[in-house]
Amino acid sequence: QTVVTQEPSLSVSPGGTVTLTCGLSSGSVSTNSYPSWYQQTPGQAPRTLIFKTNARSSGVPDRYSGSILGNKAALTITGAQADDECDYYCALYMGSGVWVFGGGTKVTVL
Amino acid sequence: EVPLVESGGGLVKPGGSLRLSCAASGFSFGNYMMNWVRQAPGKGLEWVSSITGTSSSRYYADSVKGRFTISRDNARNSLYLHMNSLSAEDTAMYYCVRTKTAGPIPWFDPWGQGTLVTVSS
């Protein structure tokens, strides 16, 4: 069974930079996994942030960026703001219509 | 205008059944693969099921295979999830989500607001 790993929680200072990662329990994440990232504030539906590894969805500020770092997908928030404090999920496409989400990372801005 | 609106959630007893619906608007519904993604209370997102635009292929997470059936009616711009043999582990917010693509590259966008399913006696 494929498990997608994310840091359970991370903290960042206002104005600082934080990098979230998305890995596979066995193997490497590559662009062929088509990693995407979703942001969710409490009580709200998820919102698409990043698709195709590093493309920002419409209206997403450029302080959010996606990449591949080593064998993982990564989401970097640069110049963190208070409203960046929420949950972030990565999703990997396994092929044949099957997707797997990571467990999510709770980002705290303090 | 909200492009995806779910309905049909509610309280159901263990072993019971429920049908969720998702009304789509503002795009050519039949041209897109559609999905259900769920989130148990306080937990992360879990992909549940996908269906191609023509209903030619359907895909399921192992956790729901054999119990849930995804379907769609393109004439009504509607997506459905038929859920049988429900257990407490199926308690979750269920989101209707479109698959968007750029060539072969898929991602989820947009997301509906969700409908809550609670399985309890």
Side-chain angles (χ1 to χ4, degrees):
Chain A
Q1 181 173 340
T2 301
V3 175
V4 176
T5 60
Q6 293 185 248
E7 299 84 1
S9 62
L10 291 169
S11 61
V12 59
S13 300
T17 297
V18 62
T19 297
L20 292 63
T21 67
C22 174
L24 279 170
S25 54
S26 56
S28 299
V29 176
S30 71
T31 54
N32 292 334
S33 304
Y34 309 134
S36 52
W37 292 88
Y38 306 90
Q39 178 190 57
Q40 188 179 35
T41 54
Q44 299 297 314
R47 164 200 181 197
T48 305
L49 284 181
I50 299 287
F51 62 95
K52 206 173 63 171
T53 303
N54 57 11
R56 274 185 296 276
S57 189
S58 176
V60 173
D62 60 7
R63 66 176 186 273
Y64 292 96
S65 61
S67 64
I68 297 292
L69 287 181
N71 61 353
K72 296 182 179 182
L75 173 70
T76 299
I77 307 173
T78 304
Q81 300 179 4
D83 59 4
D84 295 328
E85 183 165 298
C86 56
D87 297 327
Y88 296 83
Y89 295 92
C90 69
L92 300 180
Y93 183 60
M94 298 290 114
S96 299
V98 175
W99 292 83
V100 182
F101 283 94
T105 296
K106 183 178 185 61
V107 171
T108 301
V109 180
L110 48 71
Chain B
E1 182 180 319
V2 179
L4 298 170
V5 179
E6 302 92 336
S7 61
L11 176 63
V12 60
K13 288 181 168 47
S17 300
L18 206 59
R19 187 186 84 157
L20 306 183
S21 300
C22 171
S25 60
F27 64 96
S28 298
F29 180 71
N31 289 344
Y32 290 89
M33 177 174 277
M34 296 295 297
N35 312 269
W36 290 99
V37 174
R38 70 183 180 183
Q39 186 172 34
K43 302 296 185 183
L45 300 172
E46 179 188 16
W47 170 79
V48 172
S49 183
S50 299
I51 185 169
T52 55
T54 60
S55 302
S56 58
S57 295
R58 309 172 198 224
Y59 308 96
Y60 300 94
D62 288 343
S63 58
V64 306
K65 204 172 290 184
R67 299 188 300 121
F68 289 11
T69 301
I70 191 171
S71 63
R72 65 192 296 162
D73 183 340
N74 289 345
R76 297 178 182 271
N77 290 337
S78 293
L79 176 73
Y80 306 103
L81 187 67
H82 305 256
M83 305 185 294
N84 296 322
S85 303
L86 287 163
S87 70
E89 288 67 41
D90 298 312
T91 293
M93 183 73 78
Y94 284 74
Y95 295 103
C96 170
V97 196
R98 183 181 69 177
T99 295
K100 208 167 175 187
T101 59
I105 301 171
W107 68 98
F108 294 126
D109 189 58
W111 298 67
Q113 287 302 301
T115 187
L116 182 62
V117 173
T118 303
V119 184
S120 175
S121 54

